[in-house]
Amino acid sequence: MLEIYTEFFGYLDKHNGSIRERLGADVKQFAVLLRRQPKSFGPDLGREFETYLTRLIRYGLKTATIEPYFLNFFKRKGVALKSPRGAKIVLDPRTSGKRLSAKDIAEIRKALASAVAVASKLQSPPEDELPGSDDLMDDRYIAGGGEGGAPSGGGGGVGHRGGVRKRPRILVEVAPPLRVPTRSLPTRFSPTEVPLAPSGPATATPSEKPSREINVTGHKLDGAQVSRFIAGQEYRLRFSVGTPVAQNLAEGNTAVQDIPQGGLPTHWVVTSTDVEFVNAPSAAKVQKTGNCWVAEFDLLIPEEGESDTQTLAIKAGAGAAKLLVTIYAVAGKTREVYREVSVRLDGAPWLSRDETVKAPMHVHLKTTHEWTTPAEQIQVSIVSGLAIVSTQKFFLEKHDLIEPFSATDNLISTPIGNVRDSLEQLREAHSDYLDDLDAADLARRLATGNWRPDSGYQGGSWAPLPDEADPPHKAAFQQVQASDEWRALASDGYELYNSCFPKGSKLRALLEQLVPGSRVDFHWTGQSGPGFVSHVPWALMYMEEVGVSGPVPDPEKFLGLRFRIGTRSWDVNNGSVAVGGLDSTYSMDLLYWGNQAGDDVAIESQWQADEYKLWKWSKLLPDLALPDPKQQLIRALDQPAPAPVGVLYFYCHCSVGNGAQPVLRFGNTAKAPDTLSRTDISQRNLPDGPLVFANACTTSQADPHMTSELEQRFFGRGVRAFIGTETKVPTRLASKFAWLYFQFLYRRADPESKPMAAGEALTQARIFLWTQYKNVGGLFYSLTNQYDLYLASNEEVLALAQTKG
């Protein structure tokens, strides 16, 4: 028991810089005192810990930072804090001879929470009143008797001669629940965590540093802190990163961890449509665009300790006022979204959303090859009716702008429906052209390496793209290009493009300026406000006006064949971009089991099974030698195994209705034994945070006024990216496109076997079909959420920061 406490104090001493600086000697002395006591020491040992906390309070240290380390220490000793079963070790002498139960842990935590609550209410004494290092050894502050003194503690415990002066009563206080950073399975990091030490998914452990948070506090003009705001009154909001503070308006898991060496430079953009921002005396740059207020400022998040504080003057609005804070990681002149926080100021402040888009160690990664590097890269964040554009990779020109974005679900609902209808009509009329893909020829062409687009490194365009298609495929596309269906697809694609980026807008001019091969990331999430569309078919947008006659539309004017397209519509459940290495991560492949003669889907499913079973990381389901294939899939989707599963792939039939009634058909019939409905798909969390590839018809399709239930179900379970289809897909195209995609994702197409991002693998598969076969079938597919998601270990991902690209 005594050794446990002693080790904890040493553990705490190593991880809390403030304790090292102010109380290092005291910690060591306190540990010595404990170590000298017999193991039969009684209940007063708990009081020693109380005394220790009291001393920290006395010296002005904010003890709220202690609890996470106390709990981490329990975890390292094998105590399962949430387990109903007892632990193997005993932490309290009163439970000697018993197993520590969840109730015991709760009591210990409650006592600690009470101490922290008291600490938060006490003011730090002036620096000149703090005892010096010599005073820490004075018998007025430490337990034990001095010369001629005798211990006075009960139960044979350590006595206090004088004890701690004015020691407050701690354990009788009632404290609100503490915000404790959670830990999940080793292969899944919480949104604010990524291991500092490179490791594979099976061994990754979050780093352990003093607790720091994003702090947003409200103040009156005289500096007094407030948590309630009166409409029309002026206040100051203070933004910082550091030790948790009382009355933080961001009352959620706002922990900031694993900041790289030297700190993380960040740029904060605060927006609101119902809170007025005031210029003076704010240090932030403030402007109003449309009906939205925008404030911007820079802030360095230091590797350890407290950041500076930035102040924003506001005038409170009426009702449930809300601010959205987007935090960008900065490298030179480029910015990448790192974090998003939203705060409501409606009299009862609470954090409505806190999301780490990317872990701080995984921002500004470089590509593995020049031919996978975009010429330019911008990100477009659609927030509160604004398009906020920032440069993520800077080769040619720096792009930063803010302008109104008028597109809403009502405005673009019809264009989205029309472009999908036109794509479906193209499929119906030209499925033979789209399906004209031979497996042996695909493998042969992939092995030549001639398909690689020219480098976009240092600003070069990938145009002209390679033109390696044979005459029959070229002739087939010429017929498609001359068809009414092709012209209709381009026309409807332009209508959608023009609805989102009207003539005269700065963003449209920028898109038309970017060189081919550039990357454009669209971030449009539910936090944007009214009018949000969960899935926009960005790749099907066409960039030029289309006449009913005249030149045939150029396929490379579709955004999906001109740019690398990244999208984010859903909350990011895991900021890590490392799914796990090829040697330690599995793919679970759920394939159609229908077996009727002449069933093209069954033929392609069997071909895929024959291919994938040769890959050591692939597990095929169902096993038709076992009973009840449907139940096999239900169980597999509930808890994929063997873990960790990095890719969850299924190939089958699908119908979604308006997006809310997904039905996956794996067998010969549409009856229940052959289908999986919405309720058959588990809602259980997927701790590995895999990539889901739903290779079936219309898996990404939804009415713009609604969300895709299939996407929503999987993102709600914690997946990191979702590949789906915009409409029905020809059978052979679907089968061969998936195989081709996996050649890139699993590094089989790369002689150097370097990792490729999930979104880049989709881009390369699209371009391969186009350059080798004049096949535009890649436009049927889209990837949502994490373009930069690697089937790689954390070590391999961190190495990308040093890789040329």
Side-chain angles (χ1 to χ4, degrees):
M1 170 60 205
L2 294 171
E3 292 176 357
I4 292 295
Y5 272 102
T6 301
E7 287 183 58
F8 168 65
F9 292 132
Y11 171 78
L12 185 63
D13 184 35
K14 289 187 295 185
H15 289 83
N16 193 315
S18 297
I19 292 177
R20 284 202 303 270
E21 296 170 7
R22 289 185 170 188
L23 301 167
D26 186 39
V27 171
K28 294 178 182 178
Q29 179 68 14
F30 194 69
V32 169
L33 292 173
L34 288 175
R35 194 179 298 115
R36 288 175 180 170
Q37 305 307 315
K39 290 191 176 182
S40 60
F41 187 72
D44 281 346
L45 184 58
R47 298 176 190 170
E48 294 287 71
F49 184 67
E50 176 187 355
T51 301
Y52 182 75
L53 286 179
T54 306
R55 294 157 68 85
L56 298 187
I57 297 168
R58 174 70 180 176
Y59 302 154
L61 188 71
K62 296 178 180 177
T63 57
T65 60
I66 295 176
E67 194 205 21
Y69 297 103
F70 193 61
L71 300 179
N72 276 340
F73 183 77
F74 285 174
K75 185 175 181 180
R76 287 162 67 92
K77 290 297 179 182
V79 179
L81 298 180
K82 296 182 180 179
S83 173
R85 296 174 294 179
K88 294 181 179 180
I89 63 173
V90 176
L91 297 186
D92 192 317
R94 288 169 292 184
T95 62
S96 181
K98 302 177 182 179
R99 293 170 66 84
L100 190 66
S101 68
K103 182 178 179 181
D104 296 325
I105 289 290
E107 290 177 353
I108 293 173
R109 289 194 61 204
K110 182 178 179 181
L112 185 60
S114 298
V116 174
V118 171
S120 67
K121 297 175 183 177
L122 297 180
Q123 294 183 352
S124 300
E127 290 292 331
D128 57 0
E129 293 183 14
L130 292 175
S133 59
D134 293 337
D135 294 331
L136 294 175
M137 300 298 105
D138 189 276
D139 62 4
R140 292 173 298 169
Y141 290 91
I142 59 176
E147 283 187 19
S152 59
V158 178
H160 299 269
R161 196 183 70 173
V164 176
R165 294 176 297 184
K166 298 181 181 179
R167 184 170 98 181
R169 299 297 300 165
I170 292 181
L171 298 181
V172 298
E173 297 285 342
V174 178
L178 290 176
R179 300 190 301 273
V180 182
T182 58
R183 298 288 192 267
S184 49
L185 294 180
T187 53
R188 173 181 165 81
F189 312 117
S190 65
T192 56
E193 295 173 323
V194 155
L196 287 177
S199 61
T203 60
T205 303
S207 64
E208 296 161 347
K209 288 187 177 182
S211 175
R212 295 190 298 171
E213 291 186 356
I214 295 173
N215 293 317
V216 183
T217 55
H219 302 264
K220 295 180 180 179
L221 299 186
D222 62 4
Q225 191 169 342
V226 297
S227 60
R228 294 182 177 274
F229 301 82
I230 301 173
Q233 297 295 311
E234 192 171 318
Y235 299 91
R236 305 287 183 263
L237 295 181
R238 296 176 183 173
F239 301 81
S240 65
V241 173
T243 304
V245 299
Q247 294 182 319
N248 187 358
L249 298 181
E251 286 284 341
N253 179 19
T254 56
V256 174
Q257 297 182 0
D258 301 322
I259 298 300
Q261 186 176 5
L264 182 69
T266 60
H267 183 79
W268 298 43
V269 178
V270 186
T271 58
S272 180
T273 57
D274 42 28
V275 176
E276 179 182 346
F277 296 169
V278 182
N279 274 296
S282 299
K285 173 187 174 183
V286 174
Q287 62 178 304
K288 187 176 184 182
T289 301
N291 66 342
C292 185
W293 288 93
V294 183
E296 300 180 76
F297 56 82
D298 296 320
L299 185 69
L300 173 67
I301 302 177
E303 184 178 355
E304 295 182 351
E306 309 292 316
S307 76
D308 291 337
T309 298
Q310 292 285 5
T311 301
L312 172 63
I314 66 167
K315 185 176 292 185
K322 176 181 173 182
L323 296 90
L324 180 64
V325 184
T326 304
I327 305 174
Y328 295 85
V330 177
K333 296 182 179 180
T334 67
R335 304 200 306 236
E336 181 174 358
V337 174
Y338 150 59
R339 195 74 173 264
E340 286 188 341
V341 175
S342 61
V343 179
R344 279 181 55 175
L345 310 177
D346 59 358
W350 57 288
L351 181 77
S352 58
R353 178 171 174 265
D354 170 48
E355 177 185 3
T356 298
V357 179
K358 268 194 179 179
M361 300 296 289
H362 288 177
V363 296
H364 300 302
L365 298 176
K366 297 181 180 179
T367 53
T368 48
H369 297 287
E370 292 190 2
W371 50 271
T372 63
T373 304
E376 297 180 88
Q377 182 174 349
I378 64 169
Q379 51 200 352
V380 182
S381 296
I382 300 168
V383 177
S384 301
L386 298 180
I388 302 175
V389 179
S390 58
T391 302
Q392 188 165 323
K393 291 191 182 298
F394 176 64
F395 289 135
L396 298 181
E397 187 176 347
K398 182 173 179 286
H399 307 288
D400 292 298
L401 64 92
I402 299 176
E403 70 173 354
F405 184 82
S406 58
T408 63
D409 54 349
N410 289 328
L411 180 66
I412 64 176
S413 174
T414 297
I416 287 176
N418 287 343
V419 76
R420 284 179 175 151
D421 288 345
S422 291
L423 187 63
E424 171 61 13
Q425 292 169 11
L426 182 78
R427 181 199 66 83
E428 290 179 349
H430 304 284
S431 58
D432 289 344
Y433 148 76
L434 293 166
D435 269 344
D436 189 11
L437 298 169
D438 177 74
D441 192 60
L442 277 168
R444 179 188 64 80
R445 288 175 178 270
L446 200 62
T448 66
N450 296 333
W451 47 267
R452 295 185 182 91
D454 287 343
S455 170
Y457 186 61
Q458 296 293 3
S461 168
W462 72 15
L465 287 167
D467 185 3
E468 299 293 332
D470 55 35
H473 283 97
K474 289 182 178 180
F477 176 68
Q478 287 176 356
Q479 293 182 6
V480 172
Q481 196 175 19
S483 69
D484 292 339
E485 293 82 15
W486 177 255
R487 192 176 292 272
L489 178 64
S491 178
D492 288 330
Y494 174 76
E495 184 62 30
L496 179 58
Y497 175 77
N498 192 52
S499 297
C500 290
F501 316 115
K503 291 181 179 180
S505 67
K506 295 178 182 178
L507 182 50
R508 176 170 176 150
L510 175 56
L511 291 173
E512 293 171 355
Q513 171 190 337
L514 293 177
V515 299
S518 296
R519 178 171 156 186
V520 183
D521 290 341
F522 295 102
H523 296 176
W524 194 3
T525 73
Q527 292 299 307
S528 176
F532 160 67
V533 179
S534 67
H535 186 89
V536 178
W538 304 102
L540 294 176
M541 292 184 177
Y542 190 77
M543 299 179 66
E544 292 183 346
E545 295 175 336
V546 179
V548 295
S549 61
V552 293
D554 178 0
E556 293 181 26
K557 292 293 185 179
F558 282 99
L559 261 59
L561 292 176
R562 185 174 184 83
F563 299 130
R564 295 166 161 93
I565 301 295
T567 68
R568 184 169 66 85
S569 301
W570 305 89
D571 288 350
V572 175
N573 297 287
N574 190 333
S576 169
V577 302
V579 174
L582 286 177
D583 294 332
S584 58
T585 309
Y586 297 92
S587 168
M588 196 171 74
D589 305 319
L590 282 59
L591 301 179
Y592 181 80
W593 69 70
N595 57 4
Q596 290 183 335
D599 186 341
D600 291 340
V601 177
I603 294 171
E604 290 300 323
S605 180
Q606 185 59 54
W607 175 79
Q608 290 182 79
D610 292 341
E611 289 288 316
Y612 301 159
K613 71 182 180 184
L614 303 176
W615 301 351
K616 60 182 179 180
W617 50 78
S618 180
K619 178 180 179 180
L620 302 180
L621 288 171
D623 184 345
L624 296 181
L626 299 176
D628 203 340
K630 175 177 178 175
Q631 284 302 316
Q632 291 183 50
L633 297 194
I634 289 176
R635 290 192 297 268
L637 288 172
D638 182 44
Q639 290 183 297
V645 171
V647 177
L648 183 58
Y649 170 74
F650 49 87
Y651 177 80
C652 59
H653 290 287
C654 177
S655 63
V656 296
N658 60 5
Q661 301 92 22
V663 176
L664 304 175
R665 180 164 73 86
F666 286 87
N668 293 327
T669 73
K671 297 180 179 179
D674 287 334
T675 61
L676 269 64
S677 66
R678 179 186 72 256
T679 56
D680 292 320
I681 301 175
S682 173
Q683 295 176 329
R684 189 193 300 267
N685 183 57
L686 295 170
D688 301 329
L691 159 75
V692 171
F693 189 164
N695 196 14
C697 296
T698 65
T699 50
S700 288
Q701 187 178 112
D703 187 291
H705 298 288
M706 305 177 63
T707 59
S708 166
E709 176 66 26
L710 197 62
E711 276 192 17
Q712 186 176 49
R713 177 62 59 94
F714 279 111
F715 278 115
R717 299 180 65 191
V719 307
R720 284 183 263 185
F722 183 94
I723 298 175
T725 59
E726 298 292 351
T727 185
K728 295 180 181 178
V729 184
T731 301
R732 184 179 296 179
L733 168 65
S735 173
K736 300 305 186 283
F737 185 85
W739 177 89
L740 182 60
Y741 176 78
F742 291 136
Q743 297 299 308
F744 293 113
L745 184 69
Y746 295 143
R747 317 184 201 180
R748 297 172 61 85
D750 183 3
E752 298 180 43
S753 191
K754 292 184 177 181
M756 181 180 291
E760 185 63 25
L762 184 68
T763 294
Q764 293 294 333
R766 277 181 184 156
I767 298 303
F768 182 92
L769 288 186
W770 170 241
T771 60
Q772 301 300 304
Y773 297 100
K774 286 292 181 274
N775 190 311
V776 298
L779 294 177
F780 284 81
Y781 289 87
S782 63
L783 180 143
T784 301
N785 258 40
Q786 285 184 271
Y787 189 102
D788 295 316
L789 186 65
Y790 292 89
L791 196 64
S793 67
N794 189 59
E795 181 180 16
E796 290 176 303
V797 169
L798 293 180
L800 295 181
Q802 305 166 2
T803 303
K804 183 180 179 182

